[in-house]
């Protein structure tokens, strides 16, 4: 750090003033309450020259730039309570000539150029990671964790600064030491430097603050977020974490007993749990690592958010690592939209875990199979790639859009969009895969039943089987014929009942005629079947029963016809109902027993 | 044109019911298919009937198992 200062001091003497801008007032607030350092600078810029100025340079020492994760500048319009902060202004890396070598520059493009004498208010937020250096670097379980923060008491800028001040906000009241300059005040949780007046460009006065922090130093060297879209109503998010406690390294032994008994003292530097803020209506949340589900987790939620508290298997001390996976499902309609023929996913980029620094974040967006024409729009630059993933019921695999970014802080939790085209019919791919699978099973069964798999086509057992198949088929045919005859009988009975109700003799006669015809046809068809059975040796033992069945059926038929003729005759002669019944009674009795016998025989043959 | 949220073609709360109903229908038709295969002999069997029964059964089984997957949280 000393060297840098020296280099700067030398550089400062040789640098020309490049612009006519003057910073009237600079207020800087450094927030050290978490391990992510946030520096907010409020600049009041005046154009002191006569030329229009359309960009402002921000300077950072090279060492800081390596840890700079996020930089944004917003203008403040109006004054007092009606202040509105606009959207972030575009920021680019700039390399102006004739500048000191140990500095890096970013240029902020202003929404409209600044003319002579005009004043602009600018808010600059810079977020740094890995900036708090633990000192001592190794501590035991019982020690408290002390860290050092270094910066400049003066605002480093290529422009002259009229009035400036710096406020450092600390997490704990315990302050080990801090650089004392003129106008320095430490009060409670704050250290104030300044105000300092009329400083030349590139003024730099290093300060160091040495203080205690208990904040979880959760840093993740590697995080992979996978966002899988299913048009059947779900956005599934799976996040693989690899987390390290990035604070002072733990040395000596770890006593679980001491930790359990007095966690505030014997483990002040450790963190026990992490909190993830998931979107509202998240469901099917799980938390597991390589050896299975971790049951120490808790979920609660309301209409605005779902909070998930997860506790690793052990408290995290400095330098300890853990790896785990969390996953959850989100309702589709909250994140997927349609606009101008394209569908787009609108979801946050970063991890939902509070105050987590991610060194390398990979976000994979798995689109449904059959998506085309993808494009991504992100609020900050990311590295893009593409791969395919084969998942449930896929043929060619799903397109995956891979977005990579290093040094990610919670400020990067901004919405990004993935646009793609999708034909609705492609949704039917999955069901058709399943249908095809089941159908091929049925087809296999059909083929198996139809194909003759016997090797020797001339063996006696094979021939016997063929013959037996034929006999069985014939018997089945006979059975169905008999059944048809029985339904015809039913119809005749029905016509008799109609007759007794309506007295329409003519209708009854036509019914009889059609029944006669049908029965005649059936008996004609039955003849070849019977003769086949008689000729076949295989049918010998069933033949007797079949013949018996046929005989009984014939008899039943005859009786029924006789009954029918009698009743019709009686009606024509206008006999009384009681008379008819008396005449028919013996026939009726016989018919009932015969029908029973026919049905018994049918059942018997059916079982063969 | 304002962006329109995309929802699934079938309300998600129907998935369990749909799955049970369609699988039941599918299994009944499958049963009738196999009964037909076992009871009919080679001569009396009709290929068209077998294929239509099989296609119908696989349609119901396919959609039924899709909804079963969706209802159990495997979003395909």
């Amino acid at each position: 750090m000393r060297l840098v200062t020296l280099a700067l001091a030398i550089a400062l003497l040789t640098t020309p003033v490049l612009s006519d801008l003057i910073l009237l007032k600079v207020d800087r607030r450094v927030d050290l309450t978490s391990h992510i350092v946030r520096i907010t600078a409020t600049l009041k810029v005046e154009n002191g020259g006569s030329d229009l100025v359309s960009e402002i340079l921000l300077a950072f020492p090279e060492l800081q730039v390596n840890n700079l994760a996020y930089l944004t500048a917003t203008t403040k319009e109006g004054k007092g309570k009606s202040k509105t902060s606009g959207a972030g202004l575009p920021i680019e890396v700039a390399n102006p000539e004739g500048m000191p070598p140990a500095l890096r520059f970013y240029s902020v493009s202003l929404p409209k150029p600044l003319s002579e004498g005009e004043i602009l208010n600018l808010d600059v937020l810079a977020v740094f990671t890995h900036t708090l250096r633990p000192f001592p670097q190794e501590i035991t379980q019982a020690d408290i964790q002390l860290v050092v923060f270094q910066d400049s008491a003066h605002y480093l800028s290529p422009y002259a600064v009229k009035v400036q001040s710096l406020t450092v906000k600390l997490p704990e009241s315990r302050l080990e030491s801090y650089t004392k300059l003129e106008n320095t005040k430490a009060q409670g949780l704050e250290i104030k430097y300044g105000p300092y007046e009329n400083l030349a460009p590139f003024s730099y006065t290093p300060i160091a603050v040495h203080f205690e922090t208990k904040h979880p130093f959760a840093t993740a060297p590697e995080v992979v977020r996978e966002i899988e879209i299913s048009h059947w109503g779900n956005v599934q998010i799976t996040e693989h974490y690899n987390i390290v406690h990035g604070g002072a390294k733990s040395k000596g032994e770890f006593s679980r007993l001491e930790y359990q008994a007095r966690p505030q003292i014997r483990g002040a530097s450790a963190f026990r749990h992490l909190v993830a803020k998931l979107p509202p209506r998240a469901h099917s949340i799980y938390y597991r690592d390589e050896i299975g589900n971790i049951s120490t987790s808790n979920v609660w939620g309301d209409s605005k958010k779902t909070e998930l508290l997860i506790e690793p298997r052990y408290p995290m001390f400095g330098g300890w690592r853990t790896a785990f996976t969390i996953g959850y499902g989100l309702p589709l309609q909250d994140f997927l939209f349609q606009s101008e023929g394209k569908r787009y996913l609108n979801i946050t980029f970063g991890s939902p875990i509070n105050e987590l620094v991610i060194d390398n974040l990979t976000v994979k967006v798995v689109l449904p199979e059959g998506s085309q024409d993808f494009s991504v729009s992100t609020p900050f630059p990311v590295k893009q790639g593409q791969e395919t993933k084969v998942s449930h019921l896929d043929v060619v695999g799903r397109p995956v859009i891979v977005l990579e970014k290093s040094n990610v802080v919670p400020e990067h939790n901004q919405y990004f969009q993935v646009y793609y085209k999708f034909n609705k019919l492609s949704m039917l791919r999955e069901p058709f895969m399943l249908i095809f699978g089941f159908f091929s099973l049925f087809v296999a069964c059909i083929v198996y039943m139809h194909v003759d798999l016997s090797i020797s086509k001339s063996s006696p057992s094979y021939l016997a089987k063929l013959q037996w198949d034929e006999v069985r088929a014939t018997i089945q045919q006979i059975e169905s014929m008999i059944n048809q005859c029985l339904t015809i009988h039913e119809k005749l009975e029905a016509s008799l009942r109609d007759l007794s109700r309506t007295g329409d003799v003519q209708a009854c006669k036509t019914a009889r005629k059609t029944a006669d015809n049908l029965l005649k046809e059936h008996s004609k068809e039955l003849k070849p079947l019977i003769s086949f059975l008689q000729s076949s040796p295989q049918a010998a033992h069933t033949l007797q029963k079949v013949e018996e069945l046929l005989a009984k059926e014939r008899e039943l038929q005859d009786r029924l016809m006789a009954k029918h003729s009698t009743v019709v005759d009686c009606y024509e002669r206008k006999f009384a109902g009681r008379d008819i019944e008396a005449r028919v009674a013996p026939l009726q009795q016989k018919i009932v027993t015969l029908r029973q016998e026919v049905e018994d025989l049918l059942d018997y043959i059916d079982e063969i | 044109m304002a962006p329109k949220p995309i929802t699934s073609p079938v309300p998600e709360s129907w998935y369990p019911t749909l799955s049970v109903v369609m699988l039941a229908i599918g299994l009944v038709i499958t049963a009738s298919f196999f009964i037909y295969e076992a009871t009919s002999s080679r001569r009396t069997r009709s290929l068209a009937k077998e294929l239509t029964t099989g296609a119908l059964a696989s349609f119901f089984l396919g959609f039924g198992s899709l909804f079963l997957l969706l209802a159990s949280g495997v979003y395909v």
Side-chain angles (χ1 to χ4, degrees):
Chain A
M1 212 59 189
R2 286 263 159 77
L3 266 178
V4 177
T5 324
L6 198 68
L8 275 176
I10 296 166
L12 297 190
L13 297 173
T14 59
T15 317
V17 178
L18 87 158
S19 169
D20 300 323
L21 285 179
I22 302 168
L23 300 180
L24 294 179
K25 198 178 172 198
V26 177
D27 273 325
R28 277 194 303 152
R29 286 172 305 282
V30 179
D31 185 357
L32 299 179
T33 48
S34 91
H35 66 133
I36 300 168
V37 176
R38 294 182 173 87
I39 301 178
T40 322
T42 313
L43 313 179
K44 199 170 178 186
V45 189
E46 190 191 19
N47 189 357
S50 53
D51 298 337
L52 286 177
V53 178
S54 61
E55 56 178 34
I56 296 177
L57 289 178
L58 302 174
F60 293 98
E62 204 158 37
L63 278 175
Q64 275 191 355
V65 165
N66 295 336
N67 294 327
L68 179 66
Y70 185 75
L71 181 64
T72 170
T74 46
T75 51
K76 266 198 287 192
E77 308 277 333
K79 278 185 177 173
K81 283 185 179 173
S82 60
K83 270 184 202 170
T84 51
S85 38
L89 302 173
I91 297 180
E92 277 173 22
V93 178
N95 293 307
E97 278 180 29
M99 286 291 171
L103 293 181
R104 294 275 191 83
F105 290 90
Y106 291 91
S107 87
V108 180
S109 308
L110 299 179
K112 57 173 192 251
L114 221 55
S115 56
E116 187 181 350
E118 221 177 322
I119 293 175
L120 177 85
N121 285 314
L122 197 67
D123 272 344
V124 180
L125 170 69
V127 181
F128 296 94
T129 57
H130 304 289
T131 314
L132 298 181
R133 202 161 44 80
F135 188 80
Q137 287 193 327
E138 289 191 334
I139 54 172
T140 62
Q141 185 182 347
D143 290 340
I144 57 166
Q145 178 173 253
L146 295 167
V147 292
V148 179
F149 172 71
Q150 287 175 316
D151 197 9
S152 165
H154 299 151
Y155 183 59
L156 185 63
S157 167
Y159 311 114
V161 183
K162 282 211 163 147
V163 183
Q164 62 169 293
S165 66
L166 167 70
T167 314
V168 180
K169 203 176 160 208
L170 302 171
E172 313 282 332
S173 55
R174 184 176 168 136
L175 183 59
E176 199 75 3
S177 71
Y178 63 100
T179 312
K180 290 190 182 76
L181 303 173
E182 50 170 336
N183 274 346
T184 309
K185 229 174 13 184
Q187 201 174 40
L189 295 177
E190 276 186 352
I191 307 173
K192 277 197 173 129
Y193 288 93
Y196 304 111
E197 287 176 13
N198 291 330
L199 288 169
F202 299 110
S203 299
Y204 189 92
T205 317
I207 54 162
V209 184
H210 193 195
F211 61 99
E212 181 196 351
T213 180
K214 282 180 187 160
H215 189 86
F217 270 57
T219 56
E222 184 82 56
V223 173
V224 179
R225 284 187 92 204
E226 196 179 87
I227 302 165
E228 190 167 338
I229 302 169
S230 163
H231 282 148
W232 290 101
N234 194 38
V235 176
Q236 180 68 37
I237 300 187
T238 316
E239 294 169 349
H240 304 279
Y241 287 94
N242 211 333
I243 283 188
V244 183
H245 185 301
K249 292 224 172 358
S250 173
K251 71 174 176 193
E253 59 194 23
F254 165 60
S255 161
R256 172 69 90 160
L257 186 69
E258 293 212 342
Y259 177 77
Q260 214 80 327
R262 286 178 292 172
Q264 292 306 317
I265 303 160
R266 306 280 166 170
S269 65
F271 65 88
R272 199 188 259 275
H273 52 71
L274 293 163
V275 178
K277 208 184 222 175
L278 310 180
R281 293 181 288 287
H283 60 87
S284 328
I285 301 167
Y286 66 83
Y287 167 44
R288 66 171 178 79
D289 62 10
E290 263 165 53
I291 54 172
N293 176 54
I294 307 170
S295 51
T296 36
S297 56
N298 210 342
V299 177
W300 62 95
D302 52 31
S303 61
K304 292 215 177 75
K305 62 174 189 307
T306 311
E307 274 195 326
L308 169 69
L309 184 141
I310 54 178
E311 210 172 301
R313 292 187 192 269
Y314 38 83
M316 296 287 289
F317 278 88
W320 290 15
R321 4 181 113 243
T322 181
F324 59 86
T325 301
I326 62 175
Y328 47 95
L330 298 171
L332 188 71
Q333 64 268 26
D334 292 3
F335 297 94
L336 198 67
F337 302 93
Q338 181 146 31
S339 155
E340 287 153 19
K342 275 199 156 192
R343 295 178 177 217
Y344 71 92
L345 174 79
N346 186 33
I347 202 164
T348 50
F349 185 79
S351 145
I353 292 186
N354 284 348
E355 295 293 277
L356 179 72
V357 172
I358 304 167
D359 293 344
N360 286 303
L361 173 65
T362 312
V363 177
K364 295 181 175 181
V365 181
V366 184
L367 298 174
E369 202 178 22
S371 316
Q372 290 161 332
D373 294 347
F374 342 104
S375 60
V376 183
S377 113
T378 49
F380 36 80
V382 293
K383 208 177 118 195
Q384 274 187 41
Q386 207 181 321
E387 49 185 58
T388 40
K389 181 193 176 192
V390 179
S391 179
H392 316 290
L393 304 175
D394 281 350
V395 186
V396 290
R398 305 175 185 208
V400 181
I401 289 163
V402 184
L403 306 173
E404 280 175 77
K405 174 147 181 59
S406 59
N407 225 351
V408 178
V409 288
E411 272 74 10
H412 287 115
N413 253 347
Q414 297 176 17
Y415 281 93
F416 73 102
Q417 291 82 32
V418 178
Y419 294 86
Y420 63 97
K421 275 189 178 163
F422 186 80
N423 187 350
K424 262 197 167 175
L425 286 178
S426 294
M427 272 184 83
L428 290 176
R429 283 184 189 208
E430 284 101 7
F432 275 110
M433 290 267 304
L434 288 166
I435 290 172
F436 178 75
F438 282 111
F439 190 63
S440 45
L441 185 82
F442 285 110
V443 168
C445 284
I446 293 170
V447 168
Y448 175 75
M449 294 301 279
H450 279 256
V451 168
D452 198 348
L453 287 175
S454 60
I455 297 165
S456 152
K457 305 276 185 209
S458 55
S459 75
S461 68
Y462 176 73
L463 291 176
K465 194 174 157 274
L466 274 189
Q467 249 175 3
W468 174 237
D469 275 353
E470 225 155 310
V471 167
R472 249 182 58 187
T474 321
I475 291 175
Q476 267 174 7
Q477 270 173 318
I478 292 174
E479 266 185 85
S480 74
M481 293 272 180
I482 301 284
N483 276 326
Q484 279 168 19
C485 290
L486 285 181
T487 41
I488 294 169
H489 295 174
E490 293 281 319
K491 268 185 199 156
L492 274 178
E493 297 271 15
S495 75
L496 282 184
R497 278 197 295 279
D498 279 352
L499 179 66
S500 69
R501 207 176 62 239
T502 59
D504 188 353
V505 180
Q506 212 49 47
C508 196
K509 274 188 176 168
T510 35
R512 168 76 186 266
K513 206 168 274 173
T514 48
D516 271 347
N517 282 338
L518 281 173
L519 286 173
K520 213 170 275 173
E521 261 174 51
H522 279 317
S523 65
K524 214 179 277 172
E525 280 171 29
L526 272 171
K527 252 172 213 157
L529 296 175
I530 295 295
S531 58
F532 170 75
L533 277 190
Q534 280 163 345
S535 68
S536 157
Q538 295 254 342
H541 61 286
T542 43
L543 184 61
Q544 193 202 341
K545 286 285 174 189
V546 173
E547 276 175 344
E548 196 184 334
L549 173 69
L550 286 178
K552 294 277 183 196
E553 202 277 329
R554 182 74 35 83
E555 203 181 338
L556 174 64
Q557 206 170 307
D558 289 346
R559 298 290 160 119
L560 196 65
M561 292 305 167
K563 176 188 166 191
H564 199 266
S565 324
T566 321
V567 173
V568 172
D569 200 36
C570 289
Y571 262 91
E572 273 179 335
R573 288 204 233 151
K574 307 222 160 59
F575 278 17
R578 198 171 295 162
D579 261 1
I580 303 174
E581 256 175 50
R583 281 173 182 239
V584 171
L587 278 174
Q588 185 61 35
Q589 216 171 359
K590 194 78 186 160
I591 286 172
V592 170
T593 45
L594 276 172
R595 179 162 296 153
Q596 190 57 44
E597 276 173 353
V598 166
E599 271 164 14
D600 286 349
L601 276 170
L602 268 178
D603 284 348
Y604 178 81
I605 291 170
D606 212 28
E607 273 165 33
I608 293 173
Chain B
M1 199 172 79
K4 205 175 78 204
I6 294 176
T7 50
S8 80
V10 180
E12 275 143 80
S13 51
W14 293 9
Y15 287 155
T17 327
L18 271 176
S19 138
V20 168
V21 169
M22 292 187 103
L23 279 179
I25 297 172
L27 287 175
V28 166
I29 300 174
T30 312
S32 81
F33 172 84
F34 281 108
I35 290 171
Y36 182 70
E37 288 291 306
T39 51
S40 64
S41 68
R42 191 160 292 167
R43 277 157 185 279
T44 51
R45 208 173 284 152
S46 115
L47 188 66
K49 192 183 169 189
E50 282 170 304
L51 285 177
T52 43
T53 324
L56 207 60
S58 46
F59 174 81
F60 280 104
L61 285 181
F63 272 102
S65 49
L66 174 83
F67 289 128
L68 180 69
L69 284 173
L70 293 173
S72 57
V74 182
Y75 281 89
V76 292

